[in-house]
Coordinates of all heavy atoms in Angstrom, one line a residue:
M1 N -13.6 -25.7 266.5 CA -15.1 -25.9 266.4 C -15.6 -26.5 267.7 O -14.9 -27.3 268.3 CB -15.4 -26.8 265.2 CG -15.1 -26.2 263.9 SD -16.3 -26.9 262.8 CE -15.9 -26.1 261.3
V2 N -16.8 -26.2 268.0 CA -17.5 -26.8 269.1 C -18.8 -27.5 268.7 O -19.4 -27.1 267.6 CB -17.8 -25.8 270.3 CG1 -16.5 -25.3 270.8 CG2 -18.6 -24.7 269.8
R3 N -19.2 -28.5 269.4 CA -20.4 -29.2 269.0 C -21.4 -29.3 270.2 O -20.9 -29.7 271.3 CB -20.1 -30.6 268.5 CG -21.2 -31.4 268.0 CD -20.8 -32.6 267.3 NE -20.1 -32.3 266.1 CZ -19.0 -32.9 265.6 NH1 -18.6 -34.0 266.2 NH2 -18.5 -32.5 264.5
L4 N -22.6 -29.1 270.0 CA -23.7 -29.3 271.0 C -24.4 -30.6 270.5 O -24.9 -30.7 269.4 CB -24.7 -28.2 271.0 CG -26.0 -28.4 271.8 CD1 -25.7 -28.6 273.3 CD2 -27.0 -27.3 271.6
T5 N -24.3 -31.6 271.4 CA -25.0 -32.9 271.1 C -26.2 -32.9 272.0 O -26.2 -32.7 273.2 CB -24.1 -34.1 271.5 OG1 -22.9 -33.9 270.7 CG2 -24.7 -35.4 271.2
V6 N -27.4 -33.3 271.4 CA -28.7 -33.4 272.1 C -29.1 -34.8 271.9 O -29.3 -35.3 270.8 CB -29.7 -32.4 271.4 CG1 -31.0 -32.4 272.2 CG2 -29.1 -31.0 271.4
M7 N -29.3 -35.5 273.1 CA -29.6 -36.9 273.1 C -31.0 -37.1 273.7 O -31.2 -36.7 274.9 CB -28.5 -37.7 273.8 CG -27.2 -37.6 273.1 SD -25.8 -38.2 274.1 CE -25.6 -36.8 275.2
Y8 N -31.9 -37.8 273.0 CA -33.2 -38.0 273.5 C -33.3 -39.5 274.0 O -33.4 -40.4 273.1 CB -34.3 -37.7 272.4 CG -34.3 -36.3 272.0 CD1 -33.5 -35.8 271.0 CD2 -35.1 -35.3 272.7 CE1 -33.6 -34.4 270.6 CE2 -35.1 -34.0 272.4 CZ -34.3 -33.6 271.3 OH -34.3 -32.2 271.0
P9 N -33.3 -39.7 275.3 CA -33.4 -41.1 275.8 C -34.6 -41.8 275.3 O -35.7 -41.3 275.2 CB -33.4 -40.9 277.3 CG -32.9 -39.5 277.6 CD -33.3 -38.7 276.4
Q10 N -34.4 -43.1 275.1 CA -35.6 -44.0 274.8 C -35.9 -44.8 276.0 O -35.0 -45.5 276.5 CB -35.2 -44.9 273.6 CG -36.4 -45.8 273.2 CD -36.1 -46.5 271.9 OE1 -36.5 -45.9 270.8 NE2 -35.4 -47.6 271.9
T11 N -37.1 -44.7 276.5 CA -37.5 -45.4 277.7 C -38.8 -46.2 277.3 O -39.3 -46.1 276.2 CB -37.8 -44.5 278.9 OG1 -38.9 -43.7 278.5 CG2 -36.6 -43.6 279.2
A12 N -39.2 -47.0 278.3 CA -40.4 -47.9 278.1 C -41.6 -47.0 277.8 O -42.5 -47.4 277.0 CB -40.7 -48.8 279.3
D13 N -41.7 -45.8 278.4 CA -42.9 -45.0 278.2 C -42.6 -43.7 277.4 O -43.5 -42.8 277.3 CB -43.5 -44.6 279.5 CG -42.6 -43.9 280.4 OD1 -41.4 -43.8 280.2 OD2 -43.1 -43.3 281.4
S14 N -41.5 -43.6 276.7 CA -41.2 -42.4 276.0 C -41.9 -42.4 274.6 O -42.2 -43.4 274.1 CB -39.7 -42.2 275.8 OG -39.1 -43.3 275.0
T15 N -42.2 -41.2 274.2 CA -42.8 -41.0 272.9 C -42.0 -40.0 272.1 O -41.3 -39.2 272.7 CB -44.3 -40.5 272.9 OG1 -44.3 -39.2 273.6 CG2 -45.2 -41.5 273.7
F16 N -42.0 -40.1 270.8 CA -41.2 -39.2 269.9 C -41.8 -39.2 268.6 O -42.0 -40.2 267.9 CB -39.7 -39.8 269.8 CG -38.8 -38.7 269.3 CD1 -38.0 -38.0 270.2 CD2 -38.6 -38.4 268.0 CE1 -37.1 -37.0 269.8 CE2 -37.8 -37.4 267.5 CZ -37.0 -36.7 268.5
D17 N -42.2 -38.0 268.2 CA -42.9 -37.7 266.9 C -41.8 -37.3 265.9 O -41.4 -36.1 265.8 CB -43.9 -36.7 267.0 CG -44.7 -36.4 265.7 OD1 -44.2 -36.8 264.6 OD2 -45.8 -35.8 265.8
L18 N -41.2 -38.3 265.2 CA -40.1 -38.1 264.3 C -40.4 -37.1 263.2 O -39.6 -36.3 262.7 CB -39.5 -39.4 263.8 CG -38.2 -39.3 263.0 CD1 -37.1 -38.6 263.8 CD2 -37.8 -40.6 262.5
D19 N -41.7 -37.3 262.6 CA -42.1 -36.4 261.5 C -42.1 -35.0 262.0 O -41.6 -34.1 261.2 CB -43.5 -36.8 261.1 CG -43.9 -36.0 259.9 OD1 -43.3 -36.0 258.8 OD2 -45.0 -35.3 260.0
Y20 N -42.6 -34.6 263.1 CA -42.6 -33.3 263.6 C -41.2 -32.8 263.8 O -40.8 -31.7 263.4 CB -43.4 -33.2 265.0 CG -43.4 -31.7 265.5 CD1 -44.5 -30.9 265.2 CD2 -42.4 -31.2 266.2 CE1 -44.6 -29.6 265.7 CE2 -42.4 -29.9 266.7 CZ -43.5 -29.1 266.4 OH -43.6 -27.8 266.9
Y21 N -40.4 -33.6 264.4 CA -39.0 -33.3 264.7 C -38.2 -32.9 263.4 O -37.6 -31.9 263.3 CB -38.3 -34.4 265.4 CG -36.9 -34.1 265.8 CD1 -36.6 -33.4 266.9 CD2 -35.8 -34.6 265.0 CE1 -35.3 -33.1 267.3 CE2 -34.5 -34.4 265.4 CZ -34.2 -33.6 266.5 OH -32.9 -33.3 266.9
L22 N -38.4 -33.7 262.3 CA -37.7 -33.5 261.1 C -38.3 -32.4 260.2 O -37.5 -31.7 259.5 CB -37.7 -34.8 260.3 CG -37.0 -36.0 260.8 CD1 -37.2 -37.3 260.0 CD2 -35.5 -35.7 261.0
T23 N -39.6 -32.2 260.3 CA -40.2 -31.2 259.4 C -40.5 -29.9 260.0 O -40.7 -28.9 259.3 CB -41.6 -31.7 258.8 OG1 -42.5 -32.0 259.9 CG2 -41.3 -33.0 258.0
K24 N -40.5 -29.8 261.4 CA -40.8 -28.5 262.0 C -39.7 -28.1 263.0 O -39.2 -27.0 262.9 CB -42.1 -28.6 262.8 CG -43.3 -28.9 261.9 CD -44.6 -28.4 262.5 CE -45.8 -28.8 261.7 NZ -45.9 -28.7 260.3
H25 N -39.3 -29.0 263.9 CA -38.3 -28.6 264.9 C -36.9 -28.3 264.3 O -36.4 -27.2 264.6 CB -38.2 -29.6 266.0 CG -37.3 -29.2 267.1 ND1 -37.6 -28.2 268.1 CD2 -36.0 -29.6 267.4 CE1 -36.6 -28.1 268.9 NE2 -35.6 -28.8 268.5
M26 N -36.4 -29.2 263.6 CA -35.1 -29.0 263.0 C -35.0 -27.9 262.0 O -34.0 -27.1 262.1 CB -34.6 -30.3 262.4 CG -34.1 -31.3 263.5 SD -32.9 -30.7 264.7 CE -31.5 -30.3 263.6
P27 N -36.0 -27.7 261.1 CA -35.9 -26.5 260.3 C -35.9 -25.2 261.1 O -35.2 -24.2 260.8 CB -37.1 -26.6 259.4 CG -37.4 -28.0 259.3 CD -37.0 -28.6 260.7
L28 N -36.7 -25.2 262.2 CA -36.7 -24.0 263.1 C -35.4 -23.8 263.8 O -34.8 -22.7 263.8 CB -37.8 -24.2 264.2 CG -37.9 -23.1 265.3 CD1 -38.3 -21.8 264.7 CD2 -38.8 -23.6 266.4
A29 N -34.8 -24.9 264.3 CA -33.5 -24.8 264.9 C -32.4 -24.3 263.9 O -31.6 -23.4 264.3 CB -33.1 -26.2 265.5
R30 N -32.4 -24.9 262.7 CA -31.4 -24.5 261.8 C -31.5 -23.0 261.4 O -30.6 -22.2 261.3 CB -31.5 -25.3 260.5 CG -31.0 -26.7 260.7 CD -31.1 -27.5 259.4 NE -30.6 -28.9 259.6 CZ -31.4 -30.0 259.5 NH1 -32.7 -29.8 259.2 NH2 -31.0 -31.2 259.7
E31 N -32.8 -22.5 261.2 CA -33.0 -21.1 260.9 C -32.5 -20.2 262.0 O -31.9 -19.2 261.7 CB -34.5 -20.9 260.7 CG -34.9 -19.5 260.4 CD -36.4 -19.2 260.3 OE1 -37.1 -20.1 259.9 OE2 -36.8 -18.1 260.7
R32 N -32.9 -20.5 263.2 CA -32.5 -19.7 264.4 C -31.0 -19.7 264.6 O -30.4 -18.6 264.9 CB -33.2 -20.1 265.6 CG -34.7 -20.0 265.6 CD -35.2 -18.6 265.5 NE -36.6 -18.4 265.7 CZ -37.6 -18.4 264.8 NH1 -37.2 -18.5 263.5 NH2 -38.8 -18.3 265.1
L33 N -30.4 -20.8 264.5 CA -29.0 -20.9 264.9 C -28.0 -20.6 263.8 O -26.8 -20.3 264.1 CB -28.7 -22.4 265.5 CG -29.6 -22.8 266.6 CD1 -29.3 -24.2 267.0 CD2 -29.5 -21.9 267.8
S34 N -28.5 -20.5 262.6 CA -27.6 -20.3 261.5 C -27.0 -18.9 261.5 O -25.9 -18.6 261.0 CB -28.3 -20.5 260.1 OG -29.3 -19.6 260.0
T35 N -27.6 -18.0 262.2 CA -27.1 -16.6 262.3 C -26.0 -16.5 263.3 O -25.4 -15.4 263.4 CB -28.2 -15.6 262.7 OG1 -28.8 -16.0 263.9 CG2 -29.3 -15.6 261.6
S36 N -25.7 -17.5 264.1 CA -24.7 -17.5 265.1 C -23.5 -18.4 264.9 O -22.8 -18.8 265.8 CB -25.3 -17.9 266.5 OG -26.4 -17.0 266.8
G37 N -23.3 -18.7 263.6 CA -22.1 -19.5 263.3 C -22.3 -21.0 263.2 O -21.4 -21.8 263.2
L38 N -23.6 -21.5 263.1 CA -23.9 -22.9 262.9 C -23.3 -23.3 261.6 O -23.6 -22.7 260.6 CB -25.4 -23.1 263.0 CG -25.8 -24.6 262.8 CD1 -25.5 -25.4 263.9 CD2 -27.3 -24.6 262.5
T39 N -22.5 -24.4 261.6 CA -21.9 -24.8 260.3 C -22.5 -26.2 259.9 O -22.4 -26.5 258.7 CB -20.4 -25.0 260.5 OG1 -20.1 -25.9 261.5 CG2 -19.7 -23.6 260.8
A40 N -23.0 -27.0 260.8 CA -23.5 -28.3 260.4 C -24.5 -28.8 261.4 O -24.4 -28.5 262.6 CB -22.4 -29.3 260.1
T41 N -25.4 -29.7 261.0 CA -26.3 -30.4 261.9 C -26.3 -31.9 261.4 O -26.1 -32.1 260.2 CB -27.7 -29.9 262.0 OG1 -28.3 -30.0 260.7 CG2 -27.8 -28.5 262.5
H42 N -26.4 -32.8 262.3 CA -26.6 -34.2 261.9 C -27.6 -34.8 262.8 O -27.7 -34.5 264.0 CB -25.2 -35.0 262.1 CG -24.2 -34.5 261.2 ND1 -23.3 -33.6 261.5 CD2 -23.9 -34.9 259.9 CE1 -22.5 -33.3 260.4 NE2 -22.9 -34.1 259.4
I43 N -28.4 -35.7 262.3 CA -29.5 -36.3 263.0 C -29.3 -37.8 262.9 O -29.2 -38.4 261.8 CB -30.9 -36.0 262.5 CG1 -31.1 -34.4 262.6 CG2 -32.0 -36.7 263.3 CD1 -32.3 -33.9 261.8
D44 N -29.2 -38.5 264.0 CA -29.1 -40.0 264.1 C -30.3 -40.5 264.7 O -30.6 -40.2 265.9 CB -27.9 -40.4 264.9 CG -26.5 -39.9 264.3 OD1 -26.5 -39.7 263.1 OD2 -25.6 -39.9 265.1
E45 N -31.0 -41.5 264.0 CA -32.2 -42.2 264.6 C -31.7 -43.5 265.1 O -31.1 -44.3 264.4 CB -33.2 -42.4 263.5 CG -34.4 -43.1 264.0 CD -35.5 -43.4 263.0 OE1 -35.2 -43.1 261.8 OE2 -36.5 -44.0 263.3
G46 N -31.9 -43.7 266.4 CA -31.4 -45.0 267.1 C -32.1 -46.2 266.5 O -33.3 -46.2 266.4
L47 N -31.3 -47.2 266.2 CA -31.8 -48.5 265.6 C -31.6 -49.6 266.6 O -32.3 -50.6 266.6 CB -31.1 -48.8 264.3 CG -31.4 -47.8 263.2 CD1 -30.6 -48.3 261.9 CD2 -32.8 -47.7 262.9
G48 N -30.5 -49.6 267.4 CA -30.3 -50.6 268.3 C -29.1 -50.3 269.3 O -28.4 -49.3 269.1
G49 N -28.9 -51.2 270.3 CA -27.8 -51.0 271.2 C -26.6 -51.7 270.7 O -26.5 -52.1 269.6
G50 N -25.7 -52.0 271.6 CA -24.4 -52.6 271.3 C -24.5 -54.1 271.0 O -23.8 -54.7 270.2
A51 N -25.5 -54.8 271.6 CA -25.7 -56.2 271.4 C -26.8 -56.5 270.5 O -27.8 -55.7 270.4 CB -25.9 -56.9 272.7
P52 N -26.8 -57.6 269.7 CA -27.9 -57.9 268.8 C -29.3 -57.9 269.6 O -29.4 -58.5 270.7 CB -27.6 -59.3 268.3 CG -26.1 -59.4 268.4 CD -25.8 -58.6 269.6
G53 N -30.3 -57.3 269.0 CA -31.6 -57.3 269.6 C -31.8 -56.3 270.8 O -32.9 -56.1 271.3
E54 N -30.7 -55.6 271.2 CA -30.8 -54.7 272.3 C -31.4 -53.4 271.7 O -31.0 -52.9 270.7 CB -29.4 -54.4 272.8 CG -29.4 -53.5 274.1 CD -27.9 -53.4 274.6 OE1 -27.5 -54.4 275.2 OE2 -27.3 -52.4 274.3
P55 N -32.3 -52.7 272.5 CA -32.9 -51.5 272.0 C -31.9 -50.3 272.1 O -31.0 -50.4 272.9 CB -34.1 -51.2 272.9 CG -33.8 -52.0 274.2 CD -32.9 -53.2 273.7
A56 N -32.1 -49.4 271.2 CA -31.2 -48.2 271.2 C -31.4 -47.4 272.5 O -32.6 -47.2 272.9 CB -31.5 -47.3 270.0
P57 N -30.4 -46.9 273.2 CA -30.6 -46.1 274.4 C -31.2 -44.8 274.1 O -31.7 -44.1 275.0 CB -29.2 -46.0 275.0 CG -28.2 -46.3 273.8 CD -29.0 -47.2 272.9
Y58 N -31.0 -44.3 272.9 CA -31.5 -43.0 272.5 C -32.4 -43.1 271.2 O -32.0 -43.8 270.3 CB -30.4 -42.0 272.2 CG -29.6 -41.7 273.4 CD1 -28.4 -42.4 273.6 CD2 -30.0 -40.8 274.4 CE1 -27.6 -42.2 274.8 CE2 -29.2 -40.6 275.6 CZ -28.0 -41.3 275.7 OH -27.3 -41.1 276.9
T59 N -33.6 -42.4 271.2 CA -34.4 -42.4 270.1 C -33.8 -41.6 269.0 O -33.7 -42.1 267.8 CB -35.8 -41.8 270.4 OG1 -36.4 -42.6 271.5 CG2 -36.7 -41.8 269.2
V60 N -33.2 -40.4 269.3 CA -32.6 -39.5 268.4 C -31.4 -38.9 269.1 O -31.5 -38.5 270.2 CB -33.5 -38.5 267.8 CG1 -32.8 -37.3 267.1 CG2 -34.6 -39.1 266.9
I61 N -30.3 -38.8 268.3 CA -29.2 -37.9 268.8 C -28.9 -36.9 267.6 O -28.8 -37.3 266.5 CB -27.9 -38.8 269.0 CG1 -28.1 -39.8 270.1 CG2 -26.7 -37.9 269.3 CD1 -27.0 -40.8 270.3
C62 N -28.9 -35.7 268.0 CA -28.6 -34.6 267.0 C -27.4 -33.8 267.5 O -27.2 -33.6 268.6 CB -29.9 -33.7 267.0 SG -29.7 -32.4 265.8
T63 N -26.6 -33.4 266.5 CA -25.5 -32.5 266.8 C -25.6 -31.2 266.0 O -26.1 -31.2 264.9 CB -24.1 -33.2 266.4 OG1 -24.1 -33.5 265.0 CG2 -23.9 -34.5 267.2
F64 N -25.2 -30.2 266.6 CA -25.1 -28.8 266.1 C -23.6 -28.4 266.2 O -23.1 -28.3 267.3 CB -26.0 -27.9 266.8 CG -27.4 -28.2 266.8 CD1 -28.0 -29.0 267.8 CD2 -28.3 -27.7 265.9 CE1 -29.3 -29.3 267.8 CE2 -29.6 -28.0 265.8 CZ -30.2 -28.8 266.8
T65 N -23.0 -28.1 265.1 CA -21.6 -27.7 265.1 C -21.5 -26.2 264.8 O -22.1 -25.7 263.9 CB -20.8 -28.5 264.0 OG1 -21.0 -29.9 264.3 CG2 -19.3 -28.2 264.1
F66 N -20.7 -25.6 265.7 CA -20.5 -24.1 265.6 C -19.0 -23.8 265.4 O -18.2 -24.6 265.8 CB -21.0 -23.4 266.9 CG -22.5 -23.4 267.0 CD1 -23.1 -24.5 267.5 CD2 -23.2 -22.3 266.7 CE1 -24.5 -24.5 267.7 CE2 -24.6 -22.3 266.8 CZ -25.2 -23.4 267.3
E67 N -18.8 -22.7 264.8 CA -17.4 -22.2 264.6 C -16.7 -22.0 265.9 O -15.5 -22.3 266.0 CB -17.4 -21.0 263.7 CG -17.8 -21.2 262.3 CD -18.0 -19.9 261.5 OE1 -17.6 -18.9 262.0 OE2 -18.5 -20.0 260.3
T68 N -17.4 -21.3 266.8 CA -16.8 -21.0 268.1 C -17.7 -21.2 269.3 O -19.0 -21.3 269.1 CB -16.4 -19.5 268.1 OG1 -17.7 -18.7 268.1 CG2 -15.5 -19.1 266.9
M69 N -17.2 -21.3 270.5 CA -17.9 -21.4 271.7 C -18.8 -20.1 271.9 O -20.0 -20.2 272.3 CB -17.0 -21.6 272.9 CG -17.8 -21.7 274.2 SD -18.9 -23.2 274.3 CE -17.7 -24.4 274.8
D70 N -18.3 -19.0 271.5 CA -19.1 -17.7 271.7 C -20.3 -17.8 270.8 O -21.4 -17.4 271.2 CB -18.2 -16.5 271.3 CG -17.2 -16.2 272.4 OD1 -17.4 -16.6 273.5 OD2 -16.3 -15.4 272.0
G71 N -20.2 -18.4 269.6 CA -21.3 -18.5 268.7 C -22.4 -19.4 269.3 O -23.5 -19.1 269.2
L72 N -21.9 -20.6 269.8 CA -22.9 -21.5 270.4 C -23.6 -20.9 271.6 O -24.8 -20.9 271.8 CB -22.1 -22.8 270.9 CG -22.9 -23.7 271.8 CD1 -24.2 -24.2 271.2 CD2 -22.0 -24.9 272.3
Q73 N -22.8 -20.2 272.5 CA -23.4 -19.6 273.7 C -24.3 -18.5 273.3 O -25.4 -18.3 273.9 CB -22.3 -19.1 274.6 CG -21.6 -20.2 275.3 CD -20.4 -19.8 276.1 OE1 -19.8 -18.7 275.8 NE2 -20.0 -20.6 277.0
G74 N -24.0 -17.7 272.3 CA -24.9 -16.6 271.8 C -26.1 -17.2 271.2 O -27.2 -16.6 271.5
A75 N -26.0 -18.2 270.5 CA -27.2 -18.9 269.8 C -28.1 -19.4 270.9 O -29.4 -19.2 270.8 CB -26.7 -20.0 268.9
M76 N -27.6 -20.0 271.9 CA -28.4 -20.6 273.0 C -29.0 -19.5 273.8 O -30.2 -19.6 274.3 CB -27.7 -21.6 273.8 CG -27.3 -22.8 273.0 SD -28.6 -23.6 272.0 CE -29.6 -24.2 273.3
A77 N -28.3 -18.4 274.1 CA -28.9 -17.3 274.9 C -30.0 -16.7 274.1 O -31.1 -16.3 274.7 CB -27.8 -16.3 275.1
A78 N -29.9 -16.6 272.8 CA -30.9 -15.9 272.0 C -32.1 -16.8 271.7 O -33.2 -16.3 271.7 CB -30.3 -15.4 270.7
H79 N -31.9 -18.1 271.5 CA -32.9 -19.0 270.9 C -33.1 -20.2 271.7 O -34.0 -21.0 271.4 CB -32.6 -19.3 269.5 CG -32.4 -18.1 268.6 ND1 -33.4 -17.3 268.3 CD2 -31.3 -17.7 268.0 CE1 -32.9 -16.3 267.5 NE2 -31.6 -16.5 267.4
G80 N -32.3 -20.5 272.7 CA -32.5 -21.7 273.5 C -33.8 -21.9 274.1 O -34.4 -23.0 274.1
G81 N -34.4 -20.9 274.7 CA -35.7 -20.9 275.3 C -36.8 -21.4 274.3 O -37.6 -22.2 274.7
E82 N -36.8 -20.8 273.2 CA -37.8 -21.1 272.2 C -37.6 -22.6 271.7 O -38.6 -23.3 271.6 CB -37.6 -20.2 270.9 CG -38.6 -20.5 269.8 CD -38.3 -19.7 268.6 OE1 -37.3 -19.0 268.4 OE2 -39.2 -19.7 267.7
L83 N -36.4 -23.0 271.5 CA -36.1 -24.3 271.0 C -36.5 -25.4 272.0 O -37.1 -26.4 271.8 CB -34.7 -24.5 270.5 CG -34.4 -23.6 269.3 CD1 -32.9 -23.7 268.9 CD2 -35.3 -23.9 268.1
M84 N -36.1 -25.1 273.3 CA -36.4 -26.0 274.4 C -37.9 -26.1 274.6 O -38.4 -27.1 275.0 CB -35.6 -25.7 275.6 CG -34.1 -25.8 275.5 SD -33.5 -27.5 275.2 CE -33.7 -28.2 276.8
G85 N -38.5 -24.9 274.4 CA -40.0 -24.9 274.6 C -40.8 -25.6 273.6 O -41.9 -26.0 273.8
D86 N -40.1 -26.0 272.5 CA -40.8 -26.7 271.4 C -40.7 -28.3 271.7 O -41.4 -29.0 271.1 CB -40.1 -26.4 270.1 CG -40.9 -27.0 268.9 OD1 -42.2 -26.9 268.9 OD2 -40.3 -27.5 268.0
I87 N -39.9 -28.7 272.6 CA -39.7 -30.1 272.9 C -40.9 -30.8 273.2 O -41.2 -31.9 272.6 CB -38.6 -30.3 273.9 CG1 -37.2 -29.9 273.4 CG2 -38.6 -31.8 274.5 CD1 -36.1 -29.9 274.4
P88 N -41.8 -30.3 274.0 CA -43.1 -31.1 274.3 C -44.0 -31.3 273.1 O -44.9 -32.2 273.1 CB -43.8 -30.2 275.3 CG -42.7 -29.4 276.0 CD -41.7 -29.1 274.9
N89 N -43.7 -30.6 272.0 CA -44.5 -30.8 270.8 C -44.1 -32.1 270.0 O -44.8 -32.6 269.2 CB -44.3 -29.7 269.8 CG -45.0 -28.4 270.3 OD1 -46.1 -28.5 270.9 ND2 -44.4 -27.3 270.1
F90 N -42.9 -32.7 270.4 CA -42.5 -34.0 269.7 C -42.1 -35.1 270.6 O -41.9 -36.2 270.2 CB -41.5 -33.7 268.6 CG -40.2 -33.1 269.1 CD1 -39.2 -33.9 269.6 CD2 -40.0 -31.7 269.1 CE1 -38.0 -33.3 270.1 CE2 -38.9 -31.1 269.6 CZ -37.8 -31.9 270.0
T91 N -41.9 -34.8 271.9 CA -41.5 -35.9 272.8 C -41.9 -35.6 274.3 O -42.1 -34.4 274.6 CB -39.9 -36.2 272.8 OG1 -39.6 -37.3 273.5 CG2 -39.1 -35.0 273.3
N92 N -42.0 -36.7 275.1 CA -42.3 -36.5 276.5 C -41.1 -36.7 277.4 O -41.2 -36.8 278.6 CB -43.4 -37.5 276.9 CG -43.0 -38.9 276.7 OD1 -42.0 -39.3 276.1 ND2 -43.8 -39.8 277.3
V93 N -39.9 -36.7 276.8 CA -38.6 -36.9 277.6 C -37.8 -35.6 277.4 O -37.9 -34.9 276.5 CB -37.8 -38.1 277.1 CG1 -38.5 -39.4 277.3 CG2 -37.3 -38.0 275.7
Q94 N -37.0 -35.3 278.5 CA -36.1 -34.2 278.4 C -34.7 -34.7 277.8 O -34.2 -35.8 278.3 CB -35.8 -33.6 279.8 CG -37.0 -32.8 280.3 CD -37.2 -31.6 279.4 OE1 -36.3 -30.8 279.0 NE2 -38.5 -31.4 278.9
P95 N -34.1 -34.0 276.9 CA -32.9 -34.5 276.3 C -31.7 -34.3 277.3 O -31.8 -33.4 278.2 CB -32.7 -33.6 275.1 CG -33.5 -32.4 275.4 CD -34.6 -32.8 276.3
T96 N -30.7 -35.0 277.1 CA -29.4 -34.8 277.7 C -28.5 -34.0 276.7 O -28.5 -34.3 275.5 CB -28.7 -36.2 278.0 OG1 -29.5 -36.9 278.8 CG2 -27.3 -36.0 278.6
L97 N -27.9 -33.0 277.2 CA -27.1 -32.1 276.4 C -25.6 -32.2 276.7 O -25.3 -32.4 277.9 CB -27.5 -30.6 276.5 CG -29.0 -30.3 276.3 CD1 -29.2 -28.8 276.6 CD2 -29.4 -30.7 274.9
Q98 N -24.8 -32.1 275.7 CA -23.3 -32.1 276.0 C -22.7 -31.1 275.0 O -23.0 -31.2 273.8 CB -22.7 -33.5 275.8 CG -21.2 -33.4 276.0 CD -20.6 -34.8 276.1 OE1 -21.0 -35.6 276.9 NE2 -19.7 -35.1 275.2
V99 N -21.8 -30.3 275.5 CA -21.0 -29.4 274.6 C -19.6 -30.0 274.5 O -19.0 -30.4 275.6 CB -20.9 -28.0 275.2 CG1 -20.0 -27.1 274.3 CG2 -22.3 -27.4 275.2
S100 N -19.0 -30.1 273.3 CA -17.7 -30.8 273.1 C -16.8 -29.9 272.2 O -17.3 -29.2 271.3 CB -17.9 -32.1 272.5 OG -18.7 -33.0 273.2
Q101 N -15.5 -30.1 272.4 CA -14.6 -29.5 271.5 C -14.4 -30.6 270.4 O -14.1 -31.7 270.7 CB -13.2 -29.3 272.2 CG -12.1 -28.8 271.3 CD -12.4 -27.3 270.8 OE1 -12.7 -26.5 271.6 NE2 -12.2 -27.1 269.5
V102 N -14.5 -30.2 269.1 CA -14.3 -31.1 268.0 C -12.8 -31.3 267.8 O -12.1 -30.3 267.6 CB -15.0 -30.6 266.7 CG1 -14.8 -31.5 265.5 CG2 -16.5 -30.4 266.9
R103 N -12.4 -32.5 267.8 CA -11.0 -32.8 267.7 C -10.6 -33.6 266.4 O -9.5 -33.9 266.2 CB -10.5 -33.6 268.9 CG -10.6 -32.9 270.2 CD -9.6 -31.8 270.3 NE -9.6 -31.2 271.5 CZ -9.0 -30.1 271.8 NH1 -8.2 -29.6 270.9 NH2 -9.1 -29.5 273.0
G104 N -11.6 -34.0 265.6 CA -11.2 -34.7 264.5 C -12.4 -35.0 263.6 O -13.5 -34.6 263.8

């Protein structure tokens, strides 16, 4: 299995509409990507950093797990533009993306 992790940095001037993200963006993403072997999604809302009182480095971290790398690549080729184009509707930051092999 492979996983796409999408991390939205939290900065002094960043904005993030969590309601839009949860009710519009993620349902759209799940609908589009489910035809390409998407097996799971997880959404983490940042609450804090490593030390007490430290702000979270990311507002939201979301993961998309796929059966295969081909499925992930096909999904992003087919729908990545639409999903990335929706980002300005809920945040003013660009996410950091990472593709990983799931090992456990």
Side-chain angles (χ1 to χ4, degrees):
M1 292 208 177
V2 296
R3 183 171 294 144
L4 171 63
T5 302
V6 184
M7 299 167 280
Y8 295 93
Q10 182 167 267
T11 66
D13 62 345
S14 63
T15 61
F16 198 96
D17 183 344
L18 188 60
D19 182 61
Y20 182 95
Y21 184 77
L22 295 174
T23 63
K24 299 207 185 315
H25 183 77
M26 284 305 296
L28 174 69
R30 287 181 182 116
E31 177 186 328
R32 298 293 193 264
L33 304 179
S34 65
T35 62
S36 300
L38 178 70
T39 61
T41 62
H42 294 94
I43 301 166
D44 297 337
E45 180 183 0
L47 298 178
E54 185 176 282
Y58 298 97
T59 303
V60 167
I61 297 174
C62 180
T63 61
F64 298 89
T65 305
F66 289 82
E67 294 173 5
T68 66
M69 180 65 85
D70 287 342
L72 168 60
Q73 290 173 336
M76 294 312 292
H79 305 291
E82 177 185 15
L83 297 175
M84 295 298 283
D86 191 43
I87 290 173
N89 291 321
F90 59 88
T91 187
N92 62 346
V93 298
Q94 284 299 309
T96 299
L97 306 178
Q98 177 172 303
V99 175
S100 304
Q101 178 71 46
V102 177
R103 296 289 183 188

